[in-house]
Amino acid sequence: MSEEIKEAKPLNFLEKIIEDDLASNRVPNGEIVTRFPPEPNGYLHIGHIKSICINFGLAEKYKGRCHLRLDDTNPAKEDMEYINSIKDDIKWLGFDWGNYEYYASDYYDQLYEIALDLIRKGKAYVDSLTPEQMKEYRGTLTEPGKNSPDRDRSIEENMDLFLRMKNGEFPEGTYTLRAKIDMASPNINMRDPALYRIKYAEHPRTGNKWCIYPMYDFTHPISDAIEGITHSICTLEFEDHRPAYDWATEIDNIEHAPHQYEFARLNISHCLMSKRRLLYLVNNNFVSGWDDPRMPTVSGIRRRGYSPEAMKDFVSRVGVAKVEGMVDYSLMEFCVREDLNKKAKRLMAVLDPLKIIIDNYPEGQVEYFEAEDNPEDENSGKHKVAFTRELYIEKEDFMEEPVKGYHRLYPGNEIRLKHAYYITANSVEKDADGNIVAVHCTYDPESKGGSTPDGRKVRGTSHWVSAEHVLEAEVRQYDKLFKAEVPGSTTGNYLDDLNPESLVILPKAYIELEAANAKPGDYLQFIRNGYYCVDSKDSTEDHMVFNRTCTLKDSWSKMKAKMGIK
Ligand code: ATP
Ligand code: MG
C-alpha cells in the first residue's frame, strides 16, 4: 500500500483518542505506552491477533512502545507451556516487545503493600462470608447489595486476619480481602469487589511463596499504573469494570493515571473463540492438540499455512469498532488466498490418481519441462518437471463416457498436459471388477510446450505427474472445524456442530519431485487443487505430509449464493 493511501485511511476511534491526547499534551513525554496482557491459561487464538495488532500497531504508529504482560494471577490454570507459546506466536506475527516483558506476578509484593495500605486507611476489609453468601449479599442488577456483617471490622482486626491469610493459616474460601466501596452502587463491580483470595496452588513463577492471590480488577489497573501504560485497551466485556479500574488507579494518586478503552472483540463464523472451549476440544481429543491445523489458534493457523501478513490484512479489513459483530469466515479465507496467490510456489500434485500410458512415447525416456514457480510474481524462478511414458492425472479429469459439456479427457478427445504435450485418449484398461486402471493415449510430438504448428486448439488442460519421478506423500485435506455459522446455535451444544469432514486424509498422493525440497513454512499451491504447506510436526524426510491451507476458490460462499442463502 502506498503511503498516500495509508494516510487517507480514516482514523479509528482509538487513534482519534490518542491523537487528541498527544495534541493536548496529556501523554507524559508524548510517549504512547500500550500493553498486550494475555492470561497464560491457553494458547492464543485469532481474536487475540486483533488485540495484538491494535496494541502493538498503535505503539508502532505513534512511535511508543507496547509491553507484553503475562497476566498470571490464577496459578491453578496457568502453565509455562502457555507462556512460551504466547511469546512464540507474537514473534511469528512480527511484533517485538523488546525488553518490556512483564508478569503480573512481578508485582505481587507491591500489590500486597498496596493492600496493607488500603486496610490501614480503612478502605479494605477481610470478609468471612462464604462465596455463596457473598453472592447473596451482592444483590442483582435491579436490587442493591447488602453490607457484609464484617464490613466494619476494626483496622487492627483486618490487619491481623490479612496477615494470617498470607501466612497460610486458613483454608481456601474462608476469608477474602475486599475493597470498601459501595454495596448500593448501580454497578455490581463496585459493590466491594474482592481484592485477594486464598489459593493453595504452585505458581509457575513464584512457586509456593504465596497462598493469597490478587484479583484481576485489582491487579490489572495497578500493573498498568506501575508500568506507565498510557492507553489500556481491552475488549467490551470490561466496560462495566472501568469504574473499578479507575478506583484502583486512583489509590496512589498517580499523576498520570492510565485510562482504559474498550473495543469490540473479534468473532468469526464457524469458529469458537474461547480458551475454555478450545481446551475442552484438546482435552477430549476432538482435535490433535492446540496446534491442530483446524484450531482457530495462532499455532493452528500457522501449521495450516496461513501467513502473518494475511492475518494482519484480515484484522485491518475488519477494523476497530465499538459494536460487537460476526465476521464471516470467508473474509478470512479471502485474505489468505490473496496473500498466497502472490507467494505460493506452483506445483503439480495428483490427489486422486489415474494412470495414463502414452503408447507412442519411448519407454525409459525422460524429458524435463520448465515450470514457472509463480506466474503472479515477476521475479519468479523456474523448476523442472519430469515427463515420462507413464503418468498420473486426476480421476475426475477422465470420463469413459463423457457427459455433455465435458471437455477433459475421454476416448477420442485431445487435451493439453500442462507445460508438456497434447495427448489423445484411445482406450481403457480395466481390472476384473470393471474399474479403470489405466488409460492408453498417444501424444503429438509436435505439440511440445503446449501448442502445435497447425495452431489447433484444445479445450481441456490437465495437471499430471510422472509415475516414476514422483514424490509419494500424505495429504491432509482440512476444512472448517464446525459446520454451523454459530457452533451450538441450534442444539445448545457446540459439539453437535463439529464437521465430520473437517479432516480427510489421503494416504498416498503423487506430487512432482520438486515438492521434496519444500520445508515447513514454505507456501505452496498444488495447481487446481488448492494451497498447501508441509506439516511442521508430522512430516519427515521419508514420509512427507502436506496440509491443505485452503481451497483455491471459495466454493462454499458460491454455493450459498447459488442457493440464495445470505
Ligand atoms: P478467552 O475469552 O478466549 O478465554 P480472554 O479474554 O480470557 O480470552 P486473555 O488472555 O485475558 O483472554 O486476553 C488477552 C487480551 O486479548 C485481552 O485484552 C482481551 O481483551 C483480548 N481478547 C481476547 N479475546 C479477544 C477477541 N476475540 N477479540 C479481540 N480481543 C480479544
Ligand atoms: Mg480472560
Side-chain angles (χ1 to χ4, degrees), residues 190-210:
M190 295 299 273
R191 294 182 190 165
D192 292 7
L195 303 177
Y196 268 92
R197 67 200 191 292
I198 300 172
K199 188 142 219 144
Y200 294 94
E202 190 169 306
H203 188 282
R205 288 172 58 88
T206 58
N208 293 308
K209 178 173 173 195
W210 299 91

Side-chain angles (χ1 to χ4, degrees), residues 91-111:
K91 281 190 202 144
W92 175 79
L93 278 167
F95 293 113
D96 184 8
W97 54 91
N99 295 323
Y100 302 101
E101 178 176 328
Y102 299 103
Y103 293 79
S105 54
D106 293 343
Y107 311 129
Y108 282 174
D109 287 311
Q110 272 159 290
L111 286 160

